[in-house]
Amino acid sequence: MMPNITRGGQMGGLMVYLAGDGKSNEHEEQHLVAGNSAIVTMHGYGVLDTETALAIAKDLDEPRVKLGVEVTRQARLTDPETGETITTRVAADVWHCSLSLRAEEGQLSDAKWGVIAQDFVDRMGFTEAGSGKADCRWVAVRHGLSTNGNDHVHIAVSLVREDGTKAPTHNDFKRAQGICRDLERDYGLEQLESRERGIGERGIKPAEQARAQRTGTEVEAHKLERIVRAASVASLDEGEFVRRVRRGGALVRPRFAAGRDDVVAGYSVALRPQGKEPLVWYGGGRLARDLTLPRMREGWPDSPQSAQGAVDEWRATSKNPWQYRPVAPGREETTPDPKLWKQYTDDIKQLRVQMREIPFEDRAGWAHLARDTAGAFAAWSQRVEATPGPLAQTARDLSRTAQIRAYESKPKPAGRVSVAGATMMLLQASTQGQGTMAEAIMLRQLASTVKAVMDMHTAIGEAQRASQLDRTLRDQYSQVRDRLPAIVRTETQPGNAMPTPAESLDPELAKIVQAAQRGQVVPGTGTPVPTRIESHKSKTTVTPNERDGHDR
């Protein structure tokens, strides 16, 4: 269950929206499922209209209005005339949180949503039962599935209690996350391993989603993440990264350490705004945990020459990100030699050999592998997909494995094969829009790498992540494969372009992984967990067409 919190100062506006048709006319049978007993008794559980919604808002707001209490917060706004950023205080007495399930989890009954909503506000401390203080007035509204098919409920809370005191909201998002984890366990909901392991991707704020819908474009954070991820993995050093981000279509600027112009502590990126849309900057950490500058530096060489080259590029773009010109243009300016396809495909093969020595419990090692492979798919998507397609989705699905916590991360081991060359080829190669045999062969190697990551999640008991990557290989990979020429396949089953999980392992390890897939292998059970995957040798042939196969 996923919480999404916003704050504002217009209870009437919020309630009218919840009772309305929605931005895409997706709201249906808008009604209360829980709330303060007096409000629910007064207004019941029937379908809400605008008049009833405003009446509910008035009741929710009554303590604040009668007692004359103001709740504000500091906000940074852009002056529409001067374009300058100003700091001011705005009303913030309305606390709004949506609780949503993944589409695959199906739907809950009104009764169960009502119980969950009541338990949630109790644990957040908005009620006397949860805090020992006077109640905040609140309601929970349900109005059908979201545009993405998620069952959800909206909770609207007035932050002024019945006695006029203010309910605290400090650290509310983190507390809501923890409470949702507890509710998942208590009510038998699907528990998200990403939150337990800290490998979840960044959420999208409502304003970002609204801007994308308004302009008919992709969410900016997703597009920027793909640009930055591709540039990070394709680059041999930090200076090249700066240049590649700009070539990818993004504005980029550094964040220098305090009082310095030669030490870069972080960065932010933005897309050029369309029309009168505002320019919105995103820090690397806002895009993804593994795209902060310190984390990306773990994959680049650390030498005085590369450091100076990076500082030169950062200084150049800091002066005016709109007019940035590279100080020392590099290989990103040229079309690579087609002969390099084989060399860089062989690098991926060598990486797969090295992967066998990575223990399944080495989170940092597998995070590096997932990050690099996701970068390759992101680069390929950036070059050939006019709109986000299966390559972009594969990059996003795989990148979640790279989203480990900072304390778990460590530099990439010396001697580990780099996929920077392969990523560079996928980003820069000129194929006049046509897939090549070289791309098809490289795709097969990348898909095998994805499957190895899937096997890792299976072996350590993370069935949800393994299942998600399995779907990625079945659906997204097959879409890309079908656009390319026939590729070399392993003769394990007719029509398969890749070996199945059992066939990719030694017999004994295959038994363990198969048991894990049936839920019989979990950490702490005493069942031995394999520390590496060994390749299964088999003959290879070339087939004229694989489009009828069912790949993994």
Side-chain angles (χ1 to χ4, degrees), residues 356-357 503-506 509 532-536:
R356 301 172 194 165
E357 305 302 323
E503 291 165 338
S504 67
L505 307 176
D506 279 344
L509 294 183
R532 62 180 183 173
I533 298 177
E534 299 290 353
S535 292
H536 175 78

Side-chain angles (χ1 to χ4, degrees), residues 354-360 362 365-366 369 416 531-532:
Q354 294 180 349
M355 284 160 44
R356 301 172 194 165
E357 305 302 323
I358 304 177
F360 283 157
D362 182 358
W366 287 98
L369 174 67
R416 180 71 55 81
T531 57
R532 62 180 183 173

Side-chain angles (χ1 to χ4, degrees), residues 238 241 264-267 291-298 300 314:
E238 192 170 329
F241 165 74
V264 179
Y267 73 98
L291 295 183
T292 63
L293 199 52
R295 292 285 289 278
M296 291 190 295
R297 282 171 172 164
E298 293 174 355
W300 293 324
W314 285 123

Side-chain angles (χ1 to χ4, degrees), residues 59-76:
D59 289 343
L60 291 171
D61 220 12
E62 187 176 22
R64 182 189 69 83
V65 174
K66 282 192 173 182
L67 299 174
V69 180
E70 290 187 1
V71 181
T72 62
R73 65 181 178 88
Q74 185 171 290
R76 298 178 66 186

Side-chain angles (χ1 to χ4, degrees), residues 1 21 29 70 200 209 215 228 304 314 335 370 389 427 438 466 536:
M1 186 162 59
D21 294 331
E29 297 185 6
E70 290 187 1
Q209 189 69 50
T215 59
V228 171
W314 285 123
T335 299
L427 184 64
H536 175 78

